[in-house]
Amino acid sequence: MKLTRRSFIKFAVGAVGGIHLTPLPWYLMDDAAIWSQNWWFRQVPKKGALTSATTVCTLCPGGCGIEAGLISEKRAIGISGNTSHPVSMGAVCPIGASGPQFTYGLSRVKTPLKQTGKRGDRSSFKKIGWDKAIEEVGAKLASLGGNGERLAAVGGARGSLSSELFSRLIWALGSDNLFRVPSSADSEELASLAMTGVRAPFSYDLVNSRYVLSLGCGVFEGWGSPVWVHQTLFGNNGETRLVQVDSRMSPTAAAADRWVAVEPGTEAVFALGMANVIVQQGLYDRGFVGSASGFGEFRRYLAEEYPLDFVSDLCGVEPREIVSVAREFAGVRPAVALWGRGKGSMPDTLFSAMAALALNGLVGSVGARGGVLPTPQPPLADWPDLAEVAPSAQSPKSYLDFLSSIEAASGPEVLLINQANPAYGPVAPALFKKALAKVSTVVCIGSYMDETALSADYVLPADAFLETLDGAVTPRGMPYPVFSLVSPALERLYDTKPAGEIILRLAKAAGDSVAGGFPWENWEEALKARAQGIVESKRGAVSDEETAFAVAEGKGVKVAPNFGDLDELWGKLGESAWFDPGQKLAVDFQTNSGRFTFSAAGLKGIGLGKKNGFPRPLDAPLSGDPKKFPLILVPVELLIMPGESLGAAPYLVKMLRDDQLTHNDVYADVSPRTAKKLRLKQGAMARLATPQGALIVRVNLTEAARPGVVYLPVGLGHTAYDKFLKNKGANPYEVLEFLKDKETNEVSWWGARASLSKV
Amino acid sequence: MTSHEEKRSDKDTIGWILLVIGFVGALFVGWVIFPQVIFSKKTQPVNFSHVAHAQKAEMSCEDCHTFNDDGSYNGIPSLGSCAECHGEAQGETAAEKKFVEEFVAKEKQVPWLIYAEQPDSVYFSHAPHVKSAEMKCTGCHRDVTKESLAPPLYVNRITGYAKTIMKMDVCEDCHADKGTPNDCFTCHK
Amino acid sequence: MSEEHGPKSNIRYAMVIDLDKCTGCMACAVACQEENNQAFYEDETNKNRSVTWLKVFKLDNQKSYPGYEEQFLPRPCQHCDGGHDAPCSSVCPVNATKRSIYTGIVSQIYPRCIGCRYCMAACPYHARYFNWWDPDWPGDLEKELSPLVSTRMRGVVEKCTFCNHRMMQAKNKAIMNGEKGIDPDDYVPACLEACPTGAIVFGNLKDPDSDVAKLSKSKRAFRLLSKLPTKPKVYYLSSRKWVRDLADHRR
């Protein structure tokens, strides 16, 4: 039999006919359709039981209580607020909302690393074990032999107990070369010390204020504890009047009831102009002012230095507007003036902080309902005094001087950096990088491979968001003492440790004399030693939902301790925070006179305050020739961009509008009037030059900008981190001018003279 | 008839036979071979005997297949629930020994194969079906009460879905019959 | 009206956003991204390609400094309740998007979508987004994916669902507790939950006692493009006239 073509076709016809009478073709079609819906590379979320865990957010110093949504107790899929926590009461900010991306981010440091090649070379980092890392760094610290000059340290944001432990380590090593990322809190502390005798940054009883004057604060842009500020200012259905003094139409100005447009950097002068009006028109609180000291001199100072016309000229505000705001401010009780530019982290001068505090004093809003008070601290027990070295230098050393001195001469042998990114900002990153070359060993404690970690010799990876164990004290701006326990909500992903544990281990490895000051077995024990103070104080309570909301609504709430011993307190701190809303707002003035004082004389005790009266504004104005640099550059802090020690998560970068970032180009906001003069069109590339350097930006024409001023967002321009952040935009910290407050030695920055030209 | 004609008629017969062979062969491939080839066979990592649990240990279905307070359904219990009894081996079966040694002792979740696993785009909740509509488990699932050997799982090689999966038309028809919502978001997410 | 609101249903989920309380902080928008597994890419600056179910717009009064004013406007899907389905769902050739007759929520079924983008052309609010690329959560970022919401693939359209999955969870809870309806406190979209000023209110528009029903009748209330017969179920409140005017392109 021969198979012919003809018979083969018959066979095929039969087969085709037959196959159609089977399910095969129809099933295959269906299967193919389903197959096309499920490409193998599509990531499918893994299923599991939905659970949650409460902890405290560590992404900014705001200290919000949060609840992490978890799958099978292993993966965090979302962050919401903890309704019983007094700081957040169930809400979050955008940074908190993007929280899981900080835990799972691509820039996490996964094991201790040692640089074996050239600094800054990613590929030559070698993984080392914890024991070896601690041993090597500890030996370096021990070899300094207590000679503090051979060690320097930069610490991150305040407010956490791990940062306090870090300070303790540096002091125990005999060094006073400890620098913290400068913040408005530094000058607020000194202003408060001068005028109230209590050394603490400002806090505000916002819930009970009926008139809030914001002196350039980014009230809704991350200032203070952001969620708490939002909630309290909107909590009473718009009864509080908010007035924003700011050079631009900021989101805060947009949401405020009134916007006073001033020249950038003159907010404090505006405050004193208002103070002068209030004094001259006799609108001040006679009871409070009568019981204060130094008023006569302050009154003369105002009359001589801040006459209305002068203030009007300097601030660029009509005299009648100053008078009108002053009358409003003095006419509504309680009224309060807020201080702290941007997120409240931009450091400013003692003068500015005192101006704000004095204005509050005039209307009797210091230590009163709805007013300002020195931030109350929770009654934590102190760690035992260090045997050998007393905590050094009450008066701060200048970070700028320090960097310059290293660069000029020889540097310290070891530089320790804890949860900060000084190679990126905020103060003189270029100078820091230069100074780094003179330091033989750089050790960085942090969670991410940021600019500073990249240029370190040892990177000791700290637990990140949701993983770590720490304590958080009263967040910025809150009027009652708070203590939160940051407890792990997730198992740690990598070979990391809580920052506190790393510091403790370093202390133990740094020689017996140092180790003696750190008697705790582990970090948790050290935290418990502090929390013991709360148990002994028999004050306050661990918050619940009802109490938290009652306090937020301004109801007088009396709380009684709901814990008997440390174990009970510790257990409850896993659910919410300890706070004492019943603590009276009145300030126990501890000045020499025992009264509120309108002068800086009280600073003499710590070697500051060269003049008796009120300090002058910076003696050194912004440098540069106004003809060559006719504009003023003002950095803008955005709520969606975390502070300098943390790179923004992908979801946050995604939220930037297209008039803020295009591809990798950041936009600087410029008034159309200014742009017209400079012949710059919307979106044009321009060179933004200051006496300190230059950046390439695009210009965004907006009427929100004050003519003659350039606004550039901070938080971009990273050279480290992952592809979602790296090389996007420009870093204003590189071109800002860092001024030294002659009164206090502290760094201040808020702008720079600038020019803008087409490229 | 000439030999030529004879030859042709032979050819014709062979042709027609081939056609029938093709036809029958295709039916065979389509009905018998294809259903076997299209599915891959997988077996559970450890045998699970419903009989041993229900009869020997006298457990009820709800002892393991529970609802949570929020109305979500546990489905197959997690290792933790199993370990409550199986911290140590209770009997002498090889399967239990393997289970205790490889999973309980190492605190490793068992990668159970799920016969009714729905794709990612499907939302299904037991609560409205079992609690509200009071449907029986066997209305959708196989009867496991007499099963001492967990059956193998057949997975479609193309789609990756189990052979036993319930498809959308079944859901739709029942919802239509019962007059319950048939909106897309009723069952999709 | 029965035709407009579907047969028999006494549920119409709606949202009221008080712009006077909105500071443009973006907590709602980010919470929405995280909750709903929205994709992110290396370059998200082309906003026509960027997936943002809840987008926060910046409006201004077009005046010069210092008379200039700004207002932020969060825009989720408006879940249109017009007579003939929603503009998007009535044009879908494959029934991949439908408005629920029971809840009024406009759905989107990704595996069914063929990516023709007819719905995007039909939506007057630009509330729909097309996946131009395959979403990718690199490295450990994959761990943040929520199983409550399915992930999308390249070539399909997606949009705000009023966090429909949270409604399903609330339903489960109600069933467990033997209750007939959902407790309003149990069904709260992620944006509302995140908002620190309480600017967003959500609930059943057909329940006269609900906050949304009351606020939707406020003097400050308006809807976007109210001259169109789309009848959005998202209401806005603003005391600024220029904002209300802008919502209907009246300048």
Side-chain angles (χ1 to χ4, degrees), chain A residues 36-39 41-48 50 71 74-81 90-95 97-106 110 220 226-227 230-232 234-235 237-238 246-256 259 261-263 493-494 639-640 650-659 661-664 669 671 673 700 702-707 711 722-724 728, chain C residues 18-72 110-113 133-154 158 166 169 190-199 220 240 242:
Chain A
S36 76
Q37 292 173 356
N38 290 306
W39 303 118
F41 48 81
R42 187 169 73 93
Q43 286 154 303
V44 175
K46 298 208 171 50
K47 291 178 185 171
L50 189 63
I71 294 298
K74 274 199 179 135
R75 308 194 283 121
I77 58 161
I79 304 296
S80 55
V92 290
C93 80
I95 299 176
S98 69
Q101 299 200 324
F102 286 95
T103 310
Y104 301 129
L106 303 181
K110 300 180 182 177
F220 300 131
V227 173
H230 272 86
Q231 285 175 323
T232 46
F234 284 98
N237 283 320
D246 208 330
S247 74
R248 70 188 172 111
M249 169 47 79
S250 62
T252 306
W259 169 40
V262 297
E263 283 291 340
L493 240 63
Y494 312 118
L639 180 48
I640 52 171
Y651 276 148
L652 297 174
V653 179
K654 184 179 177 180
M655 288 301 121
L656 288 167
R657 291 190 310 268
D658 54 2
D659 63 356
L661 188 74
T662 284
H663 302 303
N664 285 345
D669 281 353
S671 160
R673 278 171 263 180
N700 176 44
T702 167
E703 290 290 350
R706 188 176 180 88
Y711 300 89
D722 51 32
K723 62 176 181 176
F724 300 105
K728 285 184 197 291
Chain C
D18 188 344
L19 300 183
D20 293 337
K21 285 185 174 181
C22 178
T23 67
C25 79
M26 311 293 269
C28 54
V30 178
C32 174
Q33 301 270 334
E34 189 72 53
E35 174 82 13
N36 291 298
N37 296 337
Q38 284 168 58
F40 50 89
Y41 302 97
E42 195 174 328
D43 189 343
E44 287 279 1
T45 60
N46 181 347
K47 297 302 175 187
N48 291 332
R49 300 279 190 273
S50 182
V51 178
T52 39
W53 290 8
L54 191 153
K55 185 167 179 175
V56 180
F57 286 89
K58 191 176 80 176
L59 315 177
D60 69 71
N61 66 349
Q62 300 262 304
K63 293 212 173 122
S64 307
Y65 186 98
Y68 178 84
E69 278 180 44
E70 273 177 7
Q71 174 72 71
F72 293 94
Y110 316 119
R112 194 169 184 114
C113 175
W133 306 280
D134 274 305
D136 179 29
W137 283 262
D140 282 320
L141 283 166
E142 188 177 351
K143 293 199 166 81
E144 72 170 337
L145 285 177
S146 161
L148 302 173
V149 178
S150 70
T151 47
R152 279 72 76 181
M153 54 294 274
R154 179 176 55 186
E158 59 181 88
R166 291 193 174 206
Q169 286 176 285
C191 51
L192 187 161
E193 189 179 62
C195 180
T197 66
R220 296 187 293 138
R240 298 182 190 187
W242 67 264

Side-chain angles (χ1 to χ4, degrees), chain A residues 1 3-4 7 10-11 13-15 17-19 21-24 27-28 30-32 34-35 38 42 44-45 47, chain B residues 11-12 14-16 18-19 21-23 26-27 29-31 34 38 70 117-120 156 158-159 161 167:
Chain A
M1 195 182 87
L3 188 66
T4 60
S7 53
K10 277 191 176 149
F11 173 77
V13 166
I19 211 80
L21 298 176
T22 73
L24 186 143
Y27 272 55
L28 272 185
D30 189 32
D31 288 353
I34 295 173
W35 172 77
N38 290 306
R42 187 169 73 93
V44 175
K47 291 178 185 171
Chain B
K11 253 193 198 165
D12 266 10
I14 292 166
W16 286 112
L18 279 173
L19 188 136
I21 291 174
F23 184 79
L27 287 178
V29 168
W31 285 103
F34 171 71
I38 189 71
D70 64 0
E117 176 88 353
Q118 287 286 339
D120 174 47
N156 188 308
I158 298 176
T159 64
Y161 295 167
K167 284 205 165 180

Side-chain angles (χ1 to χ4, degrees), chain B residues 67-137:
Chain B
F67 278 96
N68 300 318
D69 289 343
D70 64 0
S72 58
Y73 191 65
N74 269 338
I76 294 179
S78 66
L79 185 74
S81 325
C82 303
E84 281 174 22
C85 299
H86 294 280
E88 280 164 16
Q90 305 282 304
E92 277 163 16
T93 60
E96 197 200 2
K97 195 173 168 230
K98 185 181 170 193
F99 173 68
V100 172
E101 281 173 6
E102 284 188 20
F103 298 102
V104 180
K106 292 180 187 166
E107 289 185 33
K108 203 179 116 195
Q109 292 289 342
V110 187
W112 295 114
L113 303 172
I114 301 170
Y115 302 98
E117 176 88 353
Q118 287 286 339
D120 174 47
S121 60
V122 174
Y123 169 84
F124 176 82
S125 172
H126 279 90
H129 295 92
V130 180
K131 295 273 169 186
S132 302
E134 296 179 350
M135 287 168 69
K136 289 217 173 70
C137 305

Side-chain angles (χ1 to χ4, degrees), chain A residues 234-319:
Chain A
F234 284 98
N236 55 8
N237 283 320
E239 274 176 46
T240 305
R241 189 166 162 80
L242 175 67
V243 177
Q244 177 71 1
V245 181
D246 208 330
S247 74
R248 70 188 172 111
M249 169 47 79
S250 62
T252 306
D257 298 289
R258 180 174 184 174
W259 169 40
V260 183
V262 297
E263 283 291 340
T266 63
E267 293 88 350
V269 172
F270 182 85
L272 289 181
M274 277 175 65
N276 193 20
V277 172
I278 291 171
V279 170
Q280 295 210 338
Q281 301 198 359
L283 303 170
Y284 53 88
D285 184 317
R286 278 161 210 279
F288 184 85
V289 170
S291 68
S293 76
F295 178 64
E297 203 186 326
F298 181 57
R299 176 183 209 141
R300 271 194 302 283
Y301 165 78
L302 287 178
E304 279 168 26
E305 306 270 346
Y306 297 96
L308 197 53
D309 290 347
F310 170 77
V311 173
S312 162
D313 266 4
L314 198 68
C315 299
V317 184
E318 291 289 313

